[in-house]
Structure formats: C-alpha cells, structure tokens
Amino acid sequence: MNTEKRVRVLVGKPGLDGHDRGAQVIAYGLRDMGFEVVYTGLRQKPEDIARAAVEEDVDVVGLSILSGSHLAMTRKVIEKLAEMKASDIMVLVGGVIPEEDIAKLKEIGVAGVFTAGTPVAEIAEFIRSHVRNQGPDSQSVA
Amino acid sequence: MEESWKKLIEEMQNGSLRAMTRLITRVENREDGWLDAMEAIYRIGGNARVIGITGPPGAGKSTLVDGLTRRLVDSGFDVGIIAVDPSSPFTGGALLGDRLRMGKATGLNGVFVRSMATRGALGGLSQAARDAVKIMDAFGKQIVLVETVGVGQDEVAVVKAADLVLVVCVPGMGDGIQAIKAGVMEIADIFVVNKADLDGADQVVRDIQAMLDLGAGPSTPDVPVVKTSAALGSGMDHLAAVMLERLESRQRDHEWLKRQVKEEIFVLLEKEIARHLRCGWERNGNLDRVVGQVMSGERDPYSFVKEVVEQFAQSCPEIRT
C-alpha cells in the first residue's frame, strides 16, 4: 500500500494546572521526530480533550498532568473516549506521577506512563511500536 | 468499492462523527481505494460553501475564524473548520496549534475542527484540504472555513478551492501591505484589516484601498475592506454579513464556477499523475538509473523529461518538446 500515513498525537492538559512547559517540550519533540502533533493547550475539560481527539482522528492522546489529579482526570478522559466509541485511541500520561499510581493508571487503560525526565525519543519509540494497527480490520468505527 | 470504505461512508451518513474523521485521515493518507471513496462522497455532498482565510502569521486568523464561526452558528449554519499548519520539510512532523485559539467555536454544538499539516509536496496541501472539505460537505456541513498557514505559494493554491477568500491584514507590518503583496493581493474577495484597535489600522485600509483603485477597471469587481478586532469582537457582525452576501452572489456566477471545476480537475490530475509516475519509477528503478546517469554526466534532466512528456505530447500540438 502506497500511503502517506503520519502518526497523529494529541497533547492535552486536563484540569486546572497552569504549567505547560513540559507539554510543549513533548509537543515540539514529537514534531521533530516526524509526528503530527495537535496541541490543545491549558485547562481543558476531559470531554473537550476526548472530542478533540475524535475530531482530529489522532492515534494517541498524551495527557500532561502535574496537579496531582492524574487519576481522576485520566479516568474521565478514558470514559469520554469510550462514550465516543474511540477506545482504540491510545492514552499516555506524563508529568508528576507518584510511582505507586503508575499501576493504577495502567489499570484504567493507560498504555504508558512517562514521568519527568523521560527522553522524548523514548516516548516516540513507544508510540511507534504500540500505535494501533492500520489494517483493514481496524477501519470500522462501529 | 472496498468494504471498509463503504462501511465508513455509510456510518458517516448515519451521523457518525468518528466515521467522518476517519475518512478524512484515510483519504489524506491516500490509502488504497481513496479515489473510489471520494467519488461516492462527492455525490453525497455538493451543498457546502467554502471560505478560505489567509494572511501573514500572527494576523489573528484563528481568532477571526473563532469569532466568525460563532456568528455563523448563531445564523443557523452548520459549520466545519479546517486549520492548516506547515509540516517540517525535514522530519515531516508538524505542530498543529490552531485549536488553541478557537476555544469558543470548538465548544459549540455541531462545530467540527480538523487540523491538517501541509505534508510537503506529495499529496499536497490544497488537495488534502479540498478532500476534507468534500467529506465535511457530505457529513452535512453547510459552511467550511479553511484557515491556511502564513503567506506564500501554498495558500494561493488552497484558496483556489474556496468559494470566497478573505485576506487578513494587520497594522504594524511595514507599509501596511508589505507582508502580503506578492500574489496574495489578487486572490482576495474581501480584505479584513484585523486588530483595528491598534494604531495604524486606518492607514492599512487606505493602503489597500489605494492599491485596489489602481488595479480597478470597468470589469473588476469591487472588493470590500472590512475593519475588525477579532479578539475584542468588534466589526465581526459586519464581516459575517458581508461574507454571506458575497457568498450568495458568487453562487450565481457561472463563469466563475466553471473555472473552479476546471481547476479542481487539473489539480487532482497533476498530483495523481506525479504520484503514480514517482511510485512506479521508484519501484522499477528507472528514477535511480536516471539520477545516476545525470550525476555521472551521461545525461541531463531535460532530455529525460522530454522523453517522458512525449508520451502525452500528441494531445496538444501547440506545445512542442
């Protein structure tokens, strides 16, 4: 198949956390690694992030959370994605995440957790090796 | 048509947002069968009007789109937005940040925003955006706003796909029209002087008006110049009204419609022929062979192009190779 596929990633900051330098570093870094990155900015509602993910038909949603509300926010985003029949979109979480919460995040459906200091190349590599199969079987949305 | 395409189109017709956005992705990626799919999609739609918005970076295009969208929705239109940002020519990556400044419009019921990257030459900005417009059209959007990247060659192409083109200018950029003089002035159906709360806005209006008067002839249509301050909301009602009125008269212009269709066919053909030739040559090694010959001085690019073009040459005797 001679396609011009590009992996699309949404980087979002849910909730009332006003620091987005980390999210911007990830967004620029992923861009430089060849991804199409949709950056939605600060203080987004989980439902807005989920809707943007569907509108933009991204392969990955990356949530950057420093506020401590990562469990609640991530759970809501994942719920909203499911409501929109978009559970096949991979969800990643980055930011300030205590060690003991990583397993909990994975339990609610997060594919990967990247805490502060993770090189962008590592995240890029993770996305490339885990992104959903684009074969004909994955094309229906029903 | 392949089953997976058929299913997506059906789901889209039943109102599935997800199916519509997936169609845009698959068509943009030029997945096998996309032309068949577009053929079907083209037949479903045909009602949406397209407004292109271009202008220098920082002119406030996204904020303007945000404000216009709210007014169009208030007037009862179902609106879609395509926001184009550049791809890096080196990595192919892109940062698509226009949603950031469309906070009010994206929250409105029914408004759909899709960010697209220019993706270099193959596939092309204008074609991918055009296809996305058709898909949104088939989904039931009545007006699609296409916001382009800054000013340059590409945007002239994307606006050719529009029913109406807004060129956005701002004060404080040299002599008012400095930043957009080449090529882009001619494509404006409406000039918007945004950030009109800043000093120098009236001078920009005068500069544009003077330039329009210079070029005006008996057959030249008048081009309105509208002052706005999108961030403050002033002038926006007027702009929306002017826009809708112009849009309507455009639809009665048969000569213009004819040119648009012609243009559409040629842009499509150009891209597809080049894509097929390139793909075929990369596969059979023909391109590599010629590149090697050119590099070693055995051959030049012109004779190769001549050889290729001669296959098509008989259809047009006026052009001699």
Side-chain angles (χ1 to χ4, degrees):
Chain A
M1 190 157 48
N2 176 35
T3 69
E4 296 165 26
K5 165 83 185 155
R6 289 261 156 215
V7 176
R8 289 168 66 89
V9 182
L10 181 144
V11 175
K13 284 201 62 80
L16 296 173
D17 151 11
H19 305 277
D20 70 342
R21 182 51 61 90
Q24 287 184 28
V25 167
I26 298 295
Y28 288 123
L30 291 177
R31 175 198 63 186
D32 292 343
M33 307 229 160
F35 295 90
E36 287 184 359
V37 183
V38 180
Y39 184 55
T40 57
L42 287 165
R43 299 185 193 94
Q44 297 286 303
K45 290 186 212 142
E47 53 264 45
D48 292 341
I49 290 180
R51 176 156 174 111
V54 169
E55 290 189 0
E56 301 288 357
D57 194 29
V58 291
D59 305 286
V60 181
V61 169
L63 302 174
S64 164
I65 311 170
L66 312 173
S67 64
S69 60
H70 43 272
L71 286 172
M73 285 298 166
T74 307
R75 189 176 287 122
K76 271 190 205 151
V77 171
I78 288 176
E79 274 169 22
K80 293 290 169 190
L81 283 172
E83 274 172 32
M84 301 185 80
K85 295 193 166 68
S87 295
D88 57 318
I89 297 177
M90 183 164 87
V91 177
L92 305 178
V93 174
V96 181
I97 313 291
E99 196 62 37
E100 63 266 28
D101 285 347
I102 293 179
K104 289 182 201 157
L105 283 170
K106 291 195 172 162
E107 225 164 81
I108 59 176
V110 173
V113 179
F114 301 94
T115 51
T118 310
V120 180
E122 194 183 314
I123 302 172
E125 181 47 40
F126 184 90
I127 293 173
R128 289 208 196 281
S129 55
H130 288 78
V131 92
R132 74 178 172 220
N133 170 30
Q134 289 290 309
D137 292 347
S138 66
Q139 297 300 352
S140 173
V141 297
Chain B
M1 196 190 332
E2 197 195 305
E3 205 50 45
S4 69
W5 285 106
K6 217 183 273 176
K7 205 160 166 216
L8 276 180
I9 293 172
E10 232 174 73
E11 285 165 2
M12 172 185 71
Q13 285 188 277
N14 291 332
S16 164
L17 180 73
R18 191 91 215 280
M20 191 262 285
T21 68
R22 181 61 51 81
L23 278 169
I24 293 178
T25 310
R26 292 190 65 187
V27 167
E28 188 181 18
N29 289 342
R30 297 292 184 249
E31 290 185 22
D32 291 347
W34 76 275
L35 274 172
D36 285 341
M38 283 308 298
E39 183 188 333
I41 289 164
Y42 188 92
R43 285 164 193 279
I44 301 167
N47 301 311
R49 301 291 160 248
V50 184
I51 299 172
I53 293 130
T54 191
K61 295 185 291 294
S62 300
T63 313
L64 203 70
V65 166
D66 192 54
L68 280 176
T69 301
R70 275 188 291 147
R71 279 156 185 87
L72 292 171
V73 169
D74 286 346
S75 311
F77 290 100
D78 199 344
V79 182
I81 299 169
I82 297 173
V84 184
D85 272 318
S87 295
S88 157
F90 301 105
T91 64
L95 187 68
L96 311 170
D98 290 324
R99 284 190 91 94
L100 263 177
R101 286 172 296 271
M102 294 182 185
K104 296 188 181 95
T106 49
L108 290 176
N109 217 7
V111 173
F112 168 83
V113 184
R114 179 61 173 245
S115 313
M116 300 181 87
T118 52
R119 297 197 182 184
L122 272 184
L125 150 73
S126 57
Q127 196 49 50
R130 268 173 217 245
D131 300 334
V133 163
K134 297 288 183 327
I135 296 168
M136 290 190 188
D137 186 344
F139 188 62
K141 296 293 165 198
Q142 294 161 310
I143 294 184
V144 180
L145 302 170
V146 181
E147 184 199 328
T148 73
V149 294
V151 167
Q153 199 59 45
D154 280 347
E155 302 73 72
V156 180
V158 80
V159 292
K160 278 185 189 162
D163 294 298
L164 202 71
V165 175
L166 271 54
V167 172
V168 187
C169 312
V170 277
M173 298 188 106
D175 67 357
I177 50 169
Q178 190 67 265
I180 51 158
K181 55 190 173 189
V184 181
M185 293 311 277
E186 297 99 278
I187 59 171
D189 295 304
I190 299 174
F191 277 105
V192 181
V193 178
N194 194 29
K195 306 192 185 179
D197 51 304
L198 298 182
D199 280 347
D202 289 326
Q203 186 58 45
V204 178
V205 173
R206 279 197 295 275
D207 285 345
I208 294 170
Q209 204 60 61
M211 192 208 53
L212 289 171
D213 291 344
L214 271 179
S219 62
T220 324
D222 65 316
V223 178
V225 183
V226 180
K227 279 202 293 183
T228 59
S229 177
L232 303 176
S234 62
M236 297 297 289
D237 290 334
H238 179 56
L239 176 60
V242 172
M243 214 171 72
L244 288 173
E245 178 211 308
R246 294 275 152 162
L247 208 51
E248 204 170 297
S249 58
R250 194 31 56 96
Q251 288 316 303
R252 294 190 296 265
D253 186 345
H254 274 266
E255 276 311 303
W256 181 86
L257 288 170
K258 216 162 100 184
R259 278 202 306 276
Q260 287 297 96
V261 175
K262 208 183 215 176
E263 175 68 24
E264 181 169 12
I265 292 172
F266 270 97
V267 171
L268 248 179
L269 262 180
E270 232 174 75
K271 296 278 185 221
E272 277 311 283
I273 288 175
R275 198 166 73 95
H276 280 263
L277 283 178
R278 193 179 180 127
C279 175
W281 287 341
E282 303 228 341
R283 188 158 300 169
N284 66 21
N286 198 0
L287 196 58
D288 281 341
R289 195 161 48 245
V290 174
V291 168
Q293 286 169 344
V294 170
M295 286 175 72
S296 66
E298 278 169 65
R299 181 153 208 193
D300 64 286
Y302 298 96
S303 67
F304 174 64
V305 169
K306 182 178 164 185
E307 191 185 297
V308 175
V309 165
E310 265 162 3
Q311 300 167 31
F312 307 101
Q314 57 270 42
S315 65
C316 187
E318 286 95 329
I319 301 176
R320 292 180 50 201
T321 57

